[in-house]
Amino acid sequence: MHKIFFFLLLACGGNTFSQSPDFDKLPTLAWQFKAGPIVSSPVMDGDLVYFGSLDRSLYALETKTGILKWKYPTSGVIRSTVCLENDNLFLYSGNGVLYCLNKKSGKQNWKFQTATGYLGDRHNDFADYYHSSPIVQNGIVYFGSGDGYVYAVKSSNGELVWNYKTDDVVHTKPFLHHNRLFIGSFDGYLYALNAQTGALHWKFKSTGQRYFPKGEIMGNPVVAKGLVLVGARDFNFYAIDENSGYCHWIKTFPRGWALPVTPNDSVIYLGTSDDRQLFSVDIASGKVHWKADASFNIFGGTALGKAMGYFGTLKGQLVGIELKTGAVKWQFTNDASRTHQAKYFKENGDYRDDIGQLLPFPEDQLTMYQQLGAIFSTPALSNDLLVITCFDGTVYALKK
């Protein structure tokens, strides 16, 4: 099989901090819910959990029961995760529209149309799994778009504050720190923008790679210990000075992408695709403390408990690990994965020898992921529940 088949993978990182009790043993099923295919992460807030689907709808379920509270249809597939401010929920849909909804009722307050008009958000390739997830702070909503722009709009009424044009698709989730907005583009640059005006402070260019010469910035940047931490399609993970744009260290993953990053004090938890491992990496130096075998590709971030962490794989498995050592304590395999694993994998977890015939075209990988119930998202952790969304459209709520 050609190398590029394995390399065309994309992650969307995230981080979830929690004071919830640790799930140190394999959790049990509390409830499950069925929607269309899901790549967005669930967001729990009080008695509701929110997620978007490729069936073009946003769902709000009762956290305790999984019963549908309300559903909001859009005219575009939803590949991004919502954010909340007071009673408002902000959603960016594949139709190129940012929506502001009442989080309790799902009633629309306002909407903002990006420059793409009604053509929708541009999809780069089959492995461009995510859209930019909005963030909100100090009354401003920030997000990127397939039209190449970064947008800042007022959270109160959707009025445009500023926009900034890059040279390609912007599908990363922005990160705001010290009045600077950090966001990556498919043009291979990480941008540091003034959060109030959109003025450019600096931009950093990735190295590029044989199969991905532009070095598309696909990982969601995060800031920790004065460094902007971000992964790109050039198989590199970068630690960049937040003030100057100077690169302090680079870690290369020769087998594929390393994109989803979750900071935790002085370390980050970094998921990899073809390396099939989760790494604990020192933020200051890039030194690896430990690595945990995930058995398959990791594209979502790690939800953090007190001593345990939880992440999903594209094989439809949720993994619970000790944060101090990386020891795998348990794995939860969803229904779709249990049903279809043998179609694609040997008993030892490797691809079957005839995988090239089973998946002759890149798009066939998406079919495999749907059949496996791949977990592209970051789990949501709150109190005694752990919620995951899967690419076959199933939402699972697990309990201690």
Side-chain angles (χ1 to χ4, degrees):
M1 181 175 299
H2 298 299
K3 287 185 178 180
I4 195 168
F5 173 80
F6 295 104
F7 294 156
L8 285 173
L9 299 171
L10 169 62
C12 176
N15 56 290
T16 302
F17 299 94
S18 173
Q19 295 300 316
S20 301
D22 282 318
F23 291 71
D24 50 4
K25 296 181 181 179
L26 181 67
T28 59
L29 182 67
W31 53 260
Q32 64 187 71
F33 180 88
K34 190 70 173 180
I38 308 167
V39 298
S40 68
S41 297
V43 173
M44 280 196 279
D45 180 65
D47 57 356
L48 294 177
V49 56
Y50 308 93
F51 65 91
S53 169
L54 301 191
D55 67 9
R56 306 186 176 202
S57 292
L58 177 71
Y59 293 81
L61 309 182
E62 293 183 359
T63 304
K64 291 183 179 180
T65 64
I67 294 173
L68 179 66
K69 183 71 173 181
W70 55 259
K71 177 180 176 181
Y72 184 86
T74 74
S75 59
V77 297
I78 300 174
R79 298 178 177 272
S80 64
T81 299
V82 303
C83 66
L84 306 173
E85 180 191 55
N86 300 323
D87 291 331
N88 294 328
L89 176 150
F90 302 96
L91 163 71
Y92 180 63
S93 176
N95 58 1
V97 175
L98 176 74
Y99 295 90
C100 175
L101 310 177
N102 181 281
K103 70 179 185 181
K104 292 295 185 181
S105 66
K107 180 181 178 181
Q108 179 183 304
N109 295 324
W110 53 258
K111 64 180 181 179
F112 172 84
Q113 177 72 59
T114 64
T116 56
Y118 292 95
L119 297 177
D121 194 292
R122 183 162 73 87
H123 192 63
N124 188 73
D125 56 33
F126 89 97
D128 184 14
Y129 300 122
Y130 305 98
H131 290 146
S132 178
S133 294
I135 64 170
V136 59
Q137 191 166 326
N138 299 325
I140 304 294
V141 185
Y142 304 93
F143 67 101
S145 177
D147 58 18
Y149 280 94
V150 183
Y151 291 93
V153 302
K154 292 182 179 180
S155 63
S156 58
N157 57 17
E159 178 184 338
L160 179 67
V161 178
W162 56 258
N163 59 22
Y164 181 91
K165 184 72 167 67
T166 76
D167 290 330
D168 213 327
V169 168
V170 181
H171 278 170
T172 61
K173 179 180 179 179
F175 194 100
L176 184 61
H177 193 248
H178 290 164
N179 199 41
R180 290 187 181 178
L181 189 79
F182 302 95
I183 194 165
S185 171
F186 267 66
D187 63 10
Y189 282 94
L190 176 74
Y191 293 85
L193 306 175
N194 183 288
Q196 293 179 330
T197 67
L200 178 68
H201 284 289
W202 54 258
K203 61 180 181 179
F204 172 86
K205 181 67 177 70
S206 63
T207 302
Q209 190 262 358
R210 176 183 177 186
Y211 297 107
F212 303 99
K214 292 172 65 175
E216 298 93 332
I217 303 292
M218 299 300 298
N220 296 326
V222 301
V223 178
K225 305 295 183 180
L227 298 176
V228 188
L229 305 157
V230 67
R233 277 192 174 189
D234 62 2
F235 302 4
N236 289 327
F237 187 83
Y238 299 90
I240 304 160
D241 191 282
E242 69 169 311
N243 294 315
S244 66
Y246 171 80
C247 187
H248 284 246
W249 54 263
I250 301 174
K251 188 168 182 60
T252 301
F253 295 84
R255 295 186 63 188
W257 301 346
L259 301 178
V261 54
T262 306
N264 187 16
D265 194 17
S266 63
V267 302
I268 54 172
Y269 304 109
L270 180 60
T272 61
S273 55
D274 295 270
D275 285 274
R276 301 183 176 188
Q277 292 175 322
L278 183 77
F279 289 78
S280 174
V281 179
D282 182 81
I283 293 174
S285 66
K287 176 184 176 181
V288 174
H289 294 300
W290 53 254
K291 52 187 177 181
D293 182 17
S295 300
F296 205 52
N297 304 336
I298 307 169
F299 279 34
T302 303
L304 302 180
K306 296 177 181 178
M308 292 283 295
Y310 316 95
F311 64 90
T313 77
L314 297 196
K315 197 182 280 188
Q317 293 177 317
L318 178 69
V319 183
I321 61 166
E322 288 184 345
L323 293 175
K324 186 175 181 179
T325 65
V328 175
K329 300 293 290 184
W330 52 261
Q331 287 187 336
F332 170 84
T333 302
N334 66 26
D335 295 340
S337 183
R338 284 196 297 269
T339 301
H340 295 288
Q341 269 195 44
K343 182 176 179 179
Y344 301 102
F345 301 97
K346 302 176 184 178
E347 289 187 4
N348 66 0
D350 292 338
Y351 276 120
R352 285 176 38 167
D353 294 335
D354 60 348
I355 192 67
Q357 287 72 47
L358 292 172
L359 308 175
F361 302 105
E363 290 77 9
D364 294 325
Q365 235 179 349
L366 297 179
T367 300
M368 176 185 73
Y369 291 151
Q370 186 167 355
Q371 291 183 346
L372 292 172
I375 302 173
F376 285 93
S377 58
T378 302
L381 179 62
S382 178
N383 297 323
D384 60 346
L385 279 184
L386 189 57
V387 177
I388 56 173
T389 53
C390 305
F391 198 48
D392 70 334
T394 307
V395 182
Y396 294 89
L398 307 177
K399 62 181 180 180
K400 289 176 67 73

